[in-house]
Structure formats: structure tokens, C-alpha cells
DNA sequence: TTGTATGCGTTATCAC
DNA sequence: GTGATAACGCATACAA
């Protein structure tokens, strides 16, 4: 079933059928009705490939997700999906490993899929600096700040990771903690991991807290198991910390279990704070203290910015989503 | 940049370029080398739209995910993604609401996207019975059994939900429990919810357990919050249950928190068992007892079956993935 | 082993 | 208001 068949069936020409299907003007009401009727009856849908070939672009929006075990991105993708679903653009989701180069991947997908725009979840600024010039469509980097890169088609929506991590640490210090352990991201492959690490460092320095970056900090992947393993290692190192900062809620959850398995109670023996503000955290026992980023707001703004760039040729924007340190039940005063 | 440009650049014809790009035979080594070199230099990628228009299909695999708040599907999508990534097929992921009609959605996407095959995560057999005949490409329904529908292009990979739920209940009964509460799925919109409900009922009947389907059972959506709310309601009804069965781990997690907030301890006062076997469950305190379905195996088999249908014209298959009742720390003997 | 020519289904430019 | 018709970039039948 093609518009040709439809034309034959209704007695009109393909051009008129196409006009009706695309809501173009210069079609008689009579023709519109007749053609729409035929469309209904046959369940006809335009062939996207032909349409897009003709129009020299697809109408899809591409999302590249870096790292699959971090539930925060899962949640982000869902919100993005539901925002994009309000439009007529199909969403192409591509998951890549935490260690892969997201920009090269995007470049390749652009040539293949010709998306209207791209959202990249998680990214490494160096990758952007090196290869982003090969991307021409609007792009929003979600979760890292790209304002100092100055690409005219690259926006970003992020949390001020460094300040947020510092705030979280400040809160722990205010609760009386002095000895800390850190389960962070890999500082080399993850901007987010690096910034949150620096924020912690800032706080330690400001408060004169001792901190051995080789023994008190372990950088791993964003997953439950990695959080668990890293924490076991920190305990084994006998650093006797009273508080643990995890650079992601998934790690914090792994950490809490590791503490428990080593005979330590949360928060009585060790306070734990995570980062992200996953919905899940509020259902745990104890409720996970965390640096809450409004994942929903992040998704909404990212999509809004992207659509503005796509539809109105809007300028690239760099936004920071506010965070809130939420001390719940996994932290306590000592 | 098109194959025409590439042809011009290398002095060969478009047909030869096309042959090289598709690894077809009858190309001299010399031509292959020259053309590949030009491809490298220019970073050329075939235009998917043109290719697919020509071939009368896209090369993509479509995944329709029903319900976004059930983390089990999130996990399933990730495994599917990583399996599909081993092939060269791009994955088109479409999320729809738990209450939407997944088959009509798939029909529409088929006409638009012309995918090679479809995976549907979560589904209602009635929807399939009514409209699946409009779908012509191979399809695998994941998580519900479709063997009694007899569509030649519809496979299914599922857990025997009814037996599994019964086993879980049997285990609780064996632990000495007699008074139960059930947080289940909506029996009307979700096959999975209905079957797990029936399994529980089977067990109750077999063991002569009293069960008021209006007061002891609440059917809600698969999410943390719904599990929480339903449990609060059950507690309010003063049914004095000693064990709670949740039709999904996410609900069980919500339930555990609700119990806690109502002054009940898990497992001392109430034993809780979930369903799915999420990775997360093993990191909770207490570790969540659950009916474990190997999500990974489910994903792997689903993709294998689909690819076999796509690539070798394999027959539709209906497979059941084994389950294991895992009693961990959220259940106890009374 | 290679090149030429045709058509996939659509949109858009014309001429009517 | 409408209908021919030329692209879009590719794969492929067929000719050389």
C-alpha cells in the first residue's frame, strides 16, 4: 500500500494524496475527505524511509546512553521518552558502555540515521573537545556541563557536581564526621566522577580533613556491585571511617549492604550518603540520604532545549539544575 | 557524500562501490582496497533511509516496552540491547503506558518503521488475539505465554507465572504462615498480574487458606509507590497478615517500607516475598526473598528466537524460562 | 570484474 | 485545485 495505490483508489493524483497526508493547503474539502476515508479503510501509514530519504533527514531524536548499570540514566531515559512522546518524533535509544567514546558513536549514528537532534547521557568533555565538530545537528549533553566548549550546536543540562559533592560533604562534617571513605566514579573516564571527587576534596581541604587519595578513595563503575566491592575494600583497609560518600545512589546501596555484611550498622556505625536522588532511595530502610537532582526536571529541560533548537533554531544553552542535599535516615549526627 | 561521490573519487562505478560496502563477491582486491581507503578518508556511512527504502524494510529491531516504572523491564531492555548490539541491527525502543494497547502500537510502528522483527515486553493476550493478525514480521512476546494463540509469527518467552506464584506461596506456607496479604498487578490489564494472582489462589485453595479477594488482595501498577500505598491500605484493613506476597520486586520494596512505616518489622513481624529477582534485591537490607526469573536468560532467548526467525525463517517457538524461589532475608519461619 | 540503468515511496516543483 | 514528474541514495538485474 503506497500513496500511488491510494491515488488510484480515490481517483486523485499522488500529489494531492501527499498534500492531504501532510496537511498541506490547496486541497478541496471533497478531496481531503475522500482521501482520508481511503486512508482509514486501508490503515495506510507513510513509509518513513521514503519520506526521510526525500527530506534528507529522519524525523527521529537520538539518545545515546553511556553506562547501563546506573539506574539514574534508566530513570532519565524514561522521562525523556515521555517528554518526546508528546511530540511526533520517534526516539532512537542507543546504549553504550561506560568506557566507550560517546561522541564517535554519535557521529556515526548521525551519518547513518540523520536524526533531528541528539541527547547524550553521560559524557566525557575531552571526547567532545576532540570530535564534536563532526556533529552538525543540535545536541544536548545531559549530566555534564559543556559551556566552556563553545560549540554553537552543543547545549548542556547538568548539576553542579563539584559544588553538590562539596555540600554533601559539608553536611556530613556538620554532623560531626571527620573520617571519610569515598566510593567514586572512575576519574579518568567520567567527568561526573571527577567533579564529584573534586568537590569532596574541596570540602576536606576547607575543613582540614585528612584524606589519602589512594586509600580513602576508590573509583569504580556506577553499579550496585562495584559499590559493594569498593566498600569491602575500604573496610579491609581499616580506615575506620564514620561516614561514606558514594558518587551515585546505586553505589551507596551496594555500600550499605557491604557495611552490613561486615558487621557495621547504617547509620549507627557509619553514615552513608549517595548522589542522584533515585525514587528507590526513599523506599529503602534506612531511607538513603542523597544529593537529589531532579531527574525529571533535567529530562524536561533537556528535551525542551533540544526541541527549541530543532524547531526554532534556538541557540545552544547551558543550564544548571538545582540540587538539594537530603539527609534522611542513612546519616546521623555523631 | 554518497556512493556516487565515492565512485567518482575512486574512478569506479557506483555498483562496485556498493558491492564493496556490502562485502559482496566479484570485486577485485585492488578495487576493494581503493574504495575502502576512500571510505576511511571521508568517514562515509551508507544512508540508511535509501538503503532501507530500496530493500523494502529497515534493518532495525523494534522493542515495545509496556510500563516504565517496573524496573524489571528496564533491566530486560538493557540485556536485550547488549544482545542486539552483537549484531548489526539498530534497536528502536518504544515505551508505552501500562494501560495502552501494545499490539495496536506495534502495528502502527511496523507500517512506519518496517522493522525486521519485534520484541514486546509485557502484554495482554486479548490484545494479541484481537489485532496481532495485522503484524507480519516475526515477533516475540516477552513475559507472557502466547502458545495458545497459534500465530505463526508470534513466539513467546515467559515464566510460568501461575506455577511460580504458587510455589512462592507454598514456600511461605511451609514456613508456617497462614495469614497473607497480596499486592498484585491489575488483573484486567496485565496477564502477568492475573496469572500470579491465580497461582496464589491455587496455593490457598490447596492448603485451605482463607482468602478474601476483596480485602486481602489489592491490584495496582508495578511501581514502588503503588506497592507502598497498597500495603498501607492492607495494614489499615487490619487483616493481621504474617506474610505478604508482592507480584513484583518493585512492589515488594515499596511494601517493605510501608510495613516499616507502620511499625512492622521485616521479617520478624511480616515476611515479604517479591517476584522478578532484580539485582537490586540482593543489596537490600534485608535481602529480598523473591521468585527469581533469569532476566538475562529471558533476554538472550528472546533475541535468539527472534534472530532465528528473522535470519533463518525459523518457526515460532514458545519457551518457558525456569524460575527459582529464593528465600533470603525478608522471609522467616514462624 | 565492472558499469549502466531502473525503481523503491515519498515530497516538491512545476505546469495546467 | 490538481496532476505529471524529477529527484533523494541506494541495491541490483543486466549488459559488457
Amino acid at each position: 500500500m503506497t500513496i500511488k495505490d491510494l491515488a488510484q483508489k480515490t481517483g486523485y493524483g499522488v500529489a494531492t494524496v501527499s498534500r492531504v497526508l501532510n496537511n498541506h493547503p490547496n486541497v478541496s474539502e471533497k478531496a481531503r475527505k475522500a482521501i482520508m476515508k481511503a486512508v482509514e479503510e486501508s490503515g495506510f501509514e507513510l513509509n518513513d524511509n521514503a519520506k526521510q530519504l526525500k527530506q534528507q533527514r529522519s524525523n527521529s531524536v537520538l539518545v545515546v546512553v553511556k553506562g547501563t548499570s546506573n539506574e539514574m540514566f534508566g530513570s532519565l531515559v524514561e522521562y525523556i521518552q515521555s517528554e518526546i512522546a508528546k511530540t511526533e518524533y520517534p526516539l532512537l535509544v542507543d546504549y553504550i558502555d561506560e568506557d566507550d567514546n560517546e561522541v564517535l558513536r554519535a557521529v556515526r549514528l548521525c551519518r547513518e540515521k540523520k536524526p533531528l537532534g541528539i541527547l547524550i547521557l553521560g559524557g566525557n568533555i575531552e571526547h567532545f573537545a576532540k570530535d564534536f565538530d563532526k556533529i552538525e545537528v543540535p545536541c544536548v549533553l545531559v549530566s555534564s556541563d559543556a559551556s566552556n566548549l563553545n560549540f554553537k550546536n552543543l547545549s548542556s543540562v547538568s548539576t553542579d557536581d563539584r559544588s553538590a559533592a562539596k555540600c554533601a560533604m559539608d553536611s556530613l562534617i556538620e554532623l560531626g564526621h571527620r573520617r571519610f571513605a569515598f566510593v567514586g566514579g572512575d576519574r579518568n573516564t567520567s567527568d561526573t566522577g571527577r567533579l564529584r571527587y573534586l568537590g569532596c576534596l574541596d570540602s576536606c581541604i576547607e575543613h582540614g580533613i585528612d584524606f589519602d587519595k589512594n586509600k580513602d578513595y576508590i573509583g569504580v563503575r556506577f553499579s550496585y556491585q562495584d559499590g559493594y566491592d569498593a566498600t569491602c575494600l575500604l573496610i579491609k583497609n581499616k580506615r575506620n571511617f564514620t561516614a561514606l560518600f558514594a558518587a551515585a545512589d546505586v553505589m551507596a546501596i551496594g555500600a550499605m549492604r557491604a557495611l552490613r555484611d561486615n558487621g557495621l550498622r547504617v547509620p549507627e556505625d557509619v553514615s552513608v550518603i549517595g548522589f542522584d536522588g533515585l525514587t528507590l532511595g526513599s523506599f529503602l530502610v534506612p531511607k538513603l540520604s542523597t544529593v537529589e537532582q531532579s531527574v525529571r526536571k533535567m529530562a524536561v529541560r533537556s528535551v525542551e532545549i533540544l526541541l527549541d533548537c530543532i524547531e526554532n533554531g534556538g541557540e545552544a544553552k547551558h543550564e544548571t539544575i538545582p540540587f538539594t542535599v537530603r539527609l534522611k535516615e542513612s546519616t546521623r549526627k555523631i
Side-chain angles (χ1 to χ4, degrees), chain A:
Chain A
M1 176 68 62
T2 73
I3 57 170
K4 222 166 171 176
D5 301 320
L6 230 39
Q8 198 134 41
K9 196 166 162 183
T10 57
Y12 287 94
V14 290
T16 304
V17 175
S18 177
R19 278 189 282 260
V20 169
L21 259 18
N22 291 286
N23 275 320
H24 284 184
N26 296 325
V27 182
S28 67
E29 203 44 47
K30 189 178 152 215
R32 188 177 302 279
K33 281 228 171 86
I35 291 169
M36 283 314 287
K37 181 158 166 280
V39 168
E40 300 279 327
E41 282 173 12
S42 56
F44 172 82
E45 299 278 351
L46 280 170
N47 179 320
D48 254 17
N49 289 319
K51 178 177 192 135
Q52 290 161 22
L53 170 59
K54 182 63 194 175
Q55 299 187 152
Q56 292 296 56
R57 54 173 178 76
S58 83
N59 62 340
S60 61
V61 169
L62 173 66
V63 181
V64 177
V65 186
K66 203 177 167 184
T68 54
S69 47
N70 186 355
E71 208 190 306
M72 192 247 172
F73 285 156
S75 170
L76 206 43
V77 171
E78 283 160 19
Y79 282 119
I80 287 172
Q81 153 74 27
S82 79
E83 288 303 307
I84 292 283
K86 295 175 186 166
T87 71
E88 267 310 290
Y89 309 122
L91 194 67
L92 218 49
V93 185
D94 187 64
Y95 293 88
I96 63 172
D97 193 83
E98 216 171 302
D99 303 322
D100 287 345
N101 185 318
E102 67 285 358
V103 179
L104 291 180
R105 177 74 180 189
V107 168
R108 186 174 157 209
L109 287 170
C110 267
R111 300 211 232 254
E112 271 180 35
K113 309 289 173 207
K114 308 219 181 304
L116 291 176
I118 315 175
L119 291 163
I120 301 187
L121 273 49
N124 183 313
I125 289 296
E126 287 170 27
H127 295 163
F128 280 79
K130 189 151 177 297
D131 290 307
F132 188 78
D133 58 353
K134 300 193 180 69
I135 292 182
E136 289 165 358
V137 294
C139 178
V140 179
L141 172 58
V142 189
S143 84
S144 285
D145 177 47
S147 56
N148 49 0
L149 252 42
N150 273 318
F151 287 109
K152 66 180 191 317
N153 57 330
L154 177 60
S155 300
S156 63
V157 174
S158 57
T159 300
D160 183 345
D161 286 300
R162 188 164 179 167
S163 303
K166 179 172 180 308
C167 274
M169 280 295 295
D170 289 349
S171 304
L172 292 174
I173 290 170
E174 200 171 329
L175 289 176
H177 295 278
R178 289 294 175 275
R179 300 199 53 85
F180 298 92
F182 302 91
V183 178
D186 183 325
R187 299 209 295 285
N188 299 314
T189 65
S190 151
D191 284 330
T192 298
R194 190 173 43 77
L195 290 169
R196 293 181 188 171
Y197 166 76
L198 290 175
C200 290
L201 212 55
D202 290 346
S203 179
C204 287
I205 291 170
E206 185 178 315
H207 295 89
I209 304 271
D210 245 8
F211 172 68
D212 180 331
K213 78 174 177 212
N214 295 313
K215 289 186 172 163
D216 295 322
Y217 180 96
I218 298 187
V220 292
R221 295 164 66 96
F222 291 77
S223 76
Y224 296 115
Q225 189 66 52
D226 284 79
Y228 183 91
D229 294 341
T231 304
C232 289
L233 201 56
L234 287 163
I235 294 170
K236 211 168 141 204
N237 287 349
K238 298 212 187 306
R239 304 298 290 176
N240 292 321
F241 48 89
T242 65
L244 183 149
F245 174 98
D249 283 352
V250 287
M251 290 165 165
I253 291 168
M256 290 205 289
R257 184 69 221 187
L259 290 166
R260 163 66 173 239
D261 287 347
N262 283 275
L264 296 165
R265 291 162 301 164
V266 178
E268 291 80 357
D269 300 316
V270 177
S271 287
V272 173
I273 191 165
F275 200 120
D276 283 341
L278 295 184
T279 304
L280 166 61
S282 306
F283 292 95
L284 297 176
V285 181
K287 289 189 190 176
L288 180 62
S289 296
T290 189
V291 178
E292 184 176 299
Q293 345 181 36
S294 171
V295 176
R296 204 178 143 276
K297 196 176 292 173
M298 224 159 159
V300 170
R301 283 305 297 153
S302 300
V303 172
E304 280 175 0
I305 291 173
L306 188 68
L307 292 180
D308 180 52
C309 292
I310 291 173
E311 294 171 352
N312 315 318
E315 289 198 336
K317 290 183 191 61
H318 298 279
E319 290 196 6
T320 300
I321 298 293
F323 60 86
T324 317
V325 175
R326 295 227 183 267
L327 297 183
K328 299 185 184 171
E329 302 169 353
S330 67
T331 43
R332 71 165 193 127
K333 210 176 170 72
I334 62 168

